[in-house]
Amino acid sequence: MKRCMFVDDSSVIRKVAKRILGGSDMAVIEAATGLDAVEMCAAEMPDVIVVDGALPDMQAVDVIRQIRAMESTIKPQILISLVEVDVASIMKAKRAGAQGYLLKPFNRPQLLERFVP
């Protein structure tokens, strides 16, 4: 079973993602802050990580860099989550190690298309 982490300070966003993806043979774990996400990844690296572009405690690019710097047999797919297409933020995230982005608010088809093989 794949593990997906949603890093977002909004409990609503995390719950919606968990409800949508939870029944699709994917375990969804939640982190409310960048620091929580980094600590959780150090303990057990998920397969997919979605990082909010506007975390209250850390810049998303710093979270991505710290996760990418960890020694792990799993090399997660990392996406930055944004409320609008912001090319500068997307490019910074990609330079830090993200593979793409996800726009909020997202819906069931968008998430399933992105995460379910």
Side-chain angles (χ1 to χ4, degrees):
M1 178 178 280
K2 279 189 160 188
R3 295 177 70 244
C4 176
M5 174 186 286
F6 266 79
V7 186
D8 202 301
D9 60 322
S10 168
S11 63
V12 173
I13 293 290
R14 295 191 317 265
K15 283 180 182 148
V16 167
K18 193 170 196 166
R19 185 166 293 141
I20 291 171
L21 293 173
S24 63
D25 198 33
M26 184 172 294
V28 180
I29 53 177
E30 305 175 36
T33 67
L35 183 60
D36 287 348
V38 170
E39 289 174 354
M40 292 167 75
C41 287
E44 188 175 0
M45 188 67 74
D47 300 292
V48 181
I49 304 169
V50 180
V51 181
D52 181 13
L55 291 169
D57 66 326
M58 295 174 74
Q59 294 289 320
V61 292
D62 293 332
V63 174
I64 295 166
R65 280 191 195 107
Q66 287 186 36
I67 291 169
R68 283 286 179 230
M70 292 178 188
E71 291 291 325
S72 175
T73 56
I74 297 171
K75 298 296 178 205
Q77 175 186 6
I78 301 177
L79 303 172
I80 187 167
S81 176
L82 302 167
V83 292
E84 63 184 13
V85 175
D86 176 353
V87 175
S89 293
I90 293 167
M91 294 313 296
K92 283 180 192 174
K94 284 190 170 191
R95 282 193 295 273
Q99 282 89 3
Y101 66 95
L102 179 69
L103 288 178
K104 295 188 285 189
F106 43 77
N107 60 33
R108 178 179 220 84
Q110 289 169 323
L111 274 191
L112 292 176
E113 170 188 308
R114 201 68 184 250
F115 296 110
V116 179

